[in-house]
Amino acid sequence: MSSAIELIVDSYTTVKDRQSLEELRIHRRRLAGDLKAWVGFDCRLSIAQIEQDIAAIEAGLEMLSGPVGG
């Protein structure tokens, strides 16, 4: 089953919405940074999930940057 972020990335790549993917990646990076800065809480699982989200977003951006035509 696809994760929510994969479905979102698929939708944005289908409509070639690079700007929304970039904004989503910025948001996830900021969120990961905020969680890493927390003291006294174990946020490793959340950070790992966010890093997986970022990887999926970057894969979508790569698809949009790929060669044109076929």
Side-chain angles (χ1 to χ4, degrees):
M1 176 180 280
S2 296
S3 71
I5 198 71
E6 289 170 336
L7 295 173
I8 292 167
V9 170
D10 286 344
S11 297
Y12 284 147
T13 55
T14 298
V15 297
K16 297 179 179 16
D17 190 349
R18 181 176 200 59
Q19 181 66 35
S20 292
L21 281 174
E22 300 262 0
E23 291 171 4
L24 189 60
R25 179 174 60 177
I26 290 167
H27 175 264
R28 288 297 197 270
R29 284 182 174 170
R30 187 177 312 129
L31 183 58
D34 290 347
L35 288 174
K36 288 175 183 176
W38 281 22
V39 176
F41 293 95
D42 184 5
C43 298
R44 288 179 291 180
L45 292 176
S46 297
I47 293 166
Q49 180 61 56
I50 291 168
E51 289 174 350
Q52 289 176 1
D53 291 355
I54 293 169
I57 295 164
E58 289 176 344
L61 287 167
E62 185 66 30
M63 287 176 56
L64 293 178
S65 298
V68 178

